[in-house]
């Protein structure tokens, strides 16, 4: 849809319900307020963790009165003013299940509504590291006893958004290539390095952080 100019137009707005934008800070907020406040905080203040608590306190009464489409259009115009021509906003949402099942469903509905209303200028990426599977209008299996088919094979049930998320499972991190790249750093044996890489899990930033430590 975007063509060859994707790199120059895509503007990631990466929000999290864990870590720098911890849900404990705004645990009494509505699902809509939690989403919109994180979008604004990340886009304007670059998601700085030291400002998150103060930002939530000072804007707590605002977000339930803000229309999500108006906020999205404001962000798009803001990125245009920063010099991005015809920006396409990538809503990158991490660990939304930290909000609890009910709010996670509502937040995903708002996100997919933005994609529907602003299709030419909006894309959605959702990441989660636990076994919850957000399936349109409900949460997927939460225990090994209720696994069922993988999320990409399940059909949407119920009234939902009609824009089901395509889930792509990430396999565990392979150790050979990262180990070969990091061995040049020196100061550690191959066996020790292989062990450290194997502890890095599947997070894509882990090898970079390990290299920095070495």
């Amino acid at each position: 849809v975007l063509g060859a100019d994707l790199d120059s137009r895509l503007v990631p707005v990466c929000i999290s319900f864990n870590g720098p934008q911890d849900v404990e800070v705004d645990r009494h907020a509505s699902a809509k307020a939690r989403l919109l406040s994180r979008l604004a905080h990340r886009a304007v203040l670059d998601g700085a963790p030291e400002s998150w608590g103060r930002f939530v306190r000072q804007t707590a009464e605002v977000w339930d009165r803000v229309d999500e489409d108006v906020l999205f259009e404001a962000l798009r115009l803001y990125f245009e003013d920063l010099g991005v021509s015809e920006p396409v906003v990538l809503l990158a949402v991490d660990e939304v299940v930290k909000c609890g099942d009910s709010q996670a469903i509502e937040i995903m509905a708002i996100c997919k509504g933005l994609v529907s209303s602003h299709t030419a200028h909006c894309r959605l990426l959702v990441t989660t590291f636990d076994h919850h599977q957000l399936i349109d209008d409900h949460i997927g299996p939460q225990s090994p006893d209720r696994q069922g088919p993988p999320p990409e094979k399940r059909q949407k049930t119920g009234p939902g958004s009609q824009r089901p998320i395509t889930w792509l499972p990430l396999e565990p991190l392979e150790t050979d290539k990262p180990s070969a790249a990091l061995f040049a750093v020196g100061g550690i044996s191959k066996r020790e390095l292989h062990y450290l890489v194997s502890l890095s899990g599947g997070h894509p930033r882990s090898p970079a952080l390990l290299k920095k430590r070495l």
Side-chain angles (χ1 to χ4, degrees):
V1 175
L2 296 176
D5 59 346
L6 171 63
D7 289 342
S8 62
R9 295 178 59 201
L10 195 66
V11 183
V13 179
C14 307
I15 67 170
S16 178
F17 294 87
N18 197 11
Q21 295 177 320
D22 197 336
V23 292
E24 289 302 312
V25 175
D26 59 345
R27 62 182 180 274
H28 299 301
S30 67
K32 176 183 174 182
R34 283 179 148 181
L35 173 63
L36 299 190
S37 62
R38 281 168 172 79
L39 291 175
H41 179 251
R42 179 62 177 175
V44 179
L45 299 179
D46 200 28
E50 61 272 13
S51 65
W52 173 235
R54 179 162 49 88
F55 180 82
V56 169
R57 291 191 299 272
Q58 293 180 348
T59 64
E61 305 300 320
V62 171
W63 305 111
D64 284 322
R65 303 197 306 267
V66 173
D67 182 87
E68 56 265 23
D69 291 303
V70 172
L71 176 64
F72 183 87
E73 184 64 14
L75 292 179
R76 189 184 69 79
L77 294 174
Y78 173 69
F79 293 135
E80 276 192 351
D81 287 342
L82 292 178
V84 182
S85 178
E86 290 294 316
V88 175
V89 179
L90 173 64
L91 304 177
V93 182
D94 182 48
E95 293 282 37
V96 66
V97 292
K98 292 288 186 180
C99 294
D101 292 358
S102 178
Q103 284 203 344
I105 294 169
E106 188 175 347
I107 288 169
M108 285 294 93
I110 295 173
C111 288
K112 288 188 281 185
L114 290 173
V115 175
S116 294
S117 300
H118 308 272
T119 304
H121 298 283
C122 184
R123 295 293 182 272
L124 174 63
L125 172 67
V126 184
T127 56
T128 181
F129 287 100
D130 59 32
H131 57 265
H132 288 68
Q133 301 294 347
L134 296 167
I135 307 300
D136 215 34
D137 62 335
H138 68 282
I139 298 290
Q142 300 182 30
S143 71
D145 297 333
R146 299 171 54 202
Q147 285 298 328
E152 66 274 14
K153 297 295 184 183
R154 281 183 232 145
Q155 299 298 315
K156 186 185 75 62
T157 59
S161 70
Q162 308 303 320
R163 301 185 72 96
I165 294 174
T166 299
W167 292 95
L168 303 175
L170 297 180
E171 299 298 326
L173 182 68
E174 293 184 3
T175 60
D176 292 343
K177 290 183 179 180
S179 296
L182 290 171
F183 186 68
V185 176
I188 191 170
S189 70
K190 286 187 177 181
R191 182 176 180 180
E192 291 170 324
L193 183 58
H194 185 86
Y195 175 69
L196 291 175
V197 171
S198 70
L199 293 179
S200 297
H203 200 290
R205 287 200 301 268
S206 298
L209 293 173
L210 177 56
K211 180 179 180 180
K212 184 176 180 180
R213 293 293 293 177
L214 292 175

